[in-house]
Amino acid sequence: MPKHNNITLKDIAQAVGVSRTLVSVCLSGRYKAGGYRISEATAQKVRDYAASVGYVANTGASLLRRSGQPPVGLLLSQNYGEAKHIGAINTALNILEQENREALLIGFRSLVTAIKRLKGAGVRDFIIFGTLSEVPSLPGDQKLIKELKPLLQGMRGFAIDYNFGLPGEQHELDIYRFGINRSLLMKELFDTYRRIGKDGFMSMDWYPVNHLLEAGYFSSREFIQPYNLDSKSSDTDWRNIGKKLAERFLAMRSQHPVKLIFAGDFIAGGLIAELRKNKVRIPEDVEVVGFDNLPHGEWFQVPLTSFGSPILEHTLLALDDILEKNPAPRTLLVPPQISWRSSTQLPPEEILRLEKALNVINHKDI
């Protein structure tokens, strides 16, 4: 199997034992049109080998010839959480334009498919705007790692919102990783509320929280009600999802007193609106903490306390490396950012204790 970065049709032909022309015909699918005496088994053998070495046809050669440099890929996850990346993407586009570099922006649900498109366009460097993890025990992660490994040959990917701190985490992919320790964040947050006697928790179905649940972190008298957000669902109205989370809270409130609800910022907005509609006082009756630290959380009916990752700063680090201005570290684990707002009422000494434990970058106090 060729080990160099740029796999060619000739390499595949030599490995499989056929002609370069036959490889081209098989990979393009033209053999199905007739006129070729190529069996499906032979075509499949060629396709399988090409996939195993990460070969993707280079459709971006003309773009490379025009600009003299390959485009920079910007990949935006469309599963959830897109909003927190929009500002950083706009900044990246402006910087690349100033540097006379082409950008190829792709929204994705399948990271593998998106990277194949980038590779086909001749992209070498790309930034992933979306959470990425490498935990073999997580559904989908093992398959993702296996498919990405050959594709990443000859490419440099920057994961600017990497999911550090998960049990079993293995850094198998040849990428740059910038992010925060989400598992530590959740543990310290729940520890803080336990310390002040608020130990009824409710959360989105989110792996750092689920990990604590599976590890026996919660006592028998505590209760966590995960709300499962199906990434394949057609329901992308975050406020409506927040409303459903509020309805679940209201239905179980008398049997399982919940003092803290944790959800993504957009979902928290719908949650807060529905709770207020049902005369639930925030933070007196229940406190709400968000994740993403979006600026508009300040304008919710009750301004939202929220944690997040420094997306813009990580984007600038990646661009400096891509544009050959300053080399970026291969791995960067940083403290979370936080905006303290009116949806929580932790005592000042507990806020200081939590910030010290996390070495928090504090953006705003209200």
Side-chain angles (χ1 to χ4, degrees):
M1 180 182 296
K3 293 297 183 183
H4 52 79
N5 289 332
N6 299 313
I7 304 298
T8 66
L9 294 178
K10 183 179 178 181
D11 295 327
I12 297 172
Q14 290 177 343
V16 179
V18 296
S19 70
R20 181 187 179 284
T21 300
L22 187 144
V23 170
S24 176
V25 170
C26 290
L27 294 181
S28 68
R30 297 198 308 273
Y31 73 95
K32 295 180 180 179
Y36 298 98
R37 295 182 177 180
I38 300 174
S39 69
E40 183 61 38
T42 298
Q44 188 62 50
K45 182 179 180 181
V46 171
R47 290 195 298 267
D48 288 346
Y49 182 81
S52 72
V53 296
Y55 174 79
V56 179
N58 185 2
T59 60
S62 61
L63 178 59
L64 178 60
R65 287 194 293 270
R66 287 198 303 271
S67 66
Q69 291 179 303
V72 176
L74 306 176
L75 300 182
L76 174 61
S77 171
Q78 294 179 295
N79 291 324
Y80 28 78
E82 307 99 313
K84 66 179 176 180
H85 298 116
I86 296 302
I89 288 176
N90 285 335
T91 298
L93 290 171
N94 289 334
I95 290 174
L96 291 171
E97 183 178 11
Q98 292 168 10
E99 298 289 333
N100 197 30
R101 289 292 298 270
E102 297 279 354
L104 180 55
L105 175 61
I106 298 177
F108 73 91
R109 292 193 182 276
S110 166
L111 182 58
V112 171
T113 300
I115 292 178
K116 284 182 178 179
R117 289 183 59 188
L118 291 183
K119 198 159 190 176
V123 170
R124 288 201 299 261
D125 297 320
F126 63 92
I127 303 174
I128 302 171
F129 293 91
T131 303
L132 180 67
S133 61
E134 297 169 81
V135 182
S137 61
L138 278 180
D141 271 24
Q142 188 172 18
K143 181 175 183 290
L144 179 68
I145 293 169
K146 182 178 179 181
E147 292 179 336
L148 284 181
K149 274 186 174 181
L151 274 180
L152 291 173
Q153 293 181 26
M155 305 182 78
R156 293 196 312 154
F158 294 79
I160 51 93
D161 193 15
Y162 191 81
N163 210 353
F164 285 109
L166 302 183
E169 177 183 322
Q170 297 178 17
H171 295 173
E172 296 188 35
L173 299 176
D174 187 14
I175 59 172
Y176 291 72
R177 300 170 181 82
F178 309 153
I180 65 174
N181 190 322
R182 287 169 165 81
S183 292
L184 176 64
L185 165 62
M186 298 312 302
K187 180 180 181 301
E188 294 294 340
L189 180 66
F190 289 134
D191 280 350
T192 299
Y193 276 88
R194 275 177 162 172
R195 206 161 31 239
I196 62 174
K198 296 184 177 181
D199 53 3
F201 306 126
M202 185 177 190
S203 172
M204 298 301 301
D205 188 7
W206 195 45
Y207 190 67
V209 177
N210 295 346
H211 155 56
L212 294 176
L213 184 62
E214 293 166 1
Y217 170 83
F218 299 100
S219 67
S220 59
R221 63 188 177 85
E222 290 173 324
F223 181 81
I224 183 163
Q225 174 69 50
Y227 181 85
N228 184 26
L229 175 59
D230 182 359
S231 62
K232 297 180 180 179
S233 171
S234 60
D235 188 357
T236 55
D237 183 342
W238 305 117
R239 287 181 61 86
N240 187 52
I241 294 173
K243 179 182 177 181
K244 293 177 180 177
L245 184 59
E247 290 170 349
R248 183 162 298 189
F249 165 81
L250 293 167
M252 50 157 267
R253 188 182 181 192
S254 60
Q255 295 178 327
H256 303 283
V258 170
K259 299 300 183 183
L260 173 67
I261 304 178
F262 180 84
D265 284 11
F266 271 128
I267 296 169
L271 167 73
I272 288 173
E274 186 67 15
L275 292 179
R276 295 261 293 177
K277 180 181 175 182
N278 284 273
K279 310 301 182 186
V280 176
R281 299 173 303 162
I282 303 168
E284 293 85 359
D285 296 332
V286 65
E287 299 186 38
V288 180
V289 173
F291 189 86
D292 285 338
N293 202 21
L294 299 176
H296 68 252
E298 182 175 353
W299 307 108
F300 288 169
Q301 291 185 25
V302 178
L304 179 67
T305 289
S306 184
F307 292 81
S309 186
I311 301 298
L312 178 59
E313 290 86 340
H314 290 170
T315 301
L316 295 176
L317 281 174
L319 286 172
D320 276 352
D321 191 300
I322 291 169
L323 298 172
E324 299 182 347
K325 294 184 176 181
N326 289 303
R330 296 288 299 188
T331 300
L332 181 63
L333 177 60
V334 300
Q337 295 175 329
I338 183 170
S339 294
W340 292 107
R341 300 190 179 108
S342 305
S343 67
T344 55
Q345 55 178 3
L346 283 175
E349 63 273 17
E350 291 298 337
I351 290 177
L352 291 175
R353 188 197 297 257
L354 177 59
E355 289 182 348
K356 183 177 180 180
L358 297 173
N359 192 21
V360 160
I361 303 168
N362 189 0
H363 266 195
K364 193 166 187 180
D365 293 300
I366 297 180

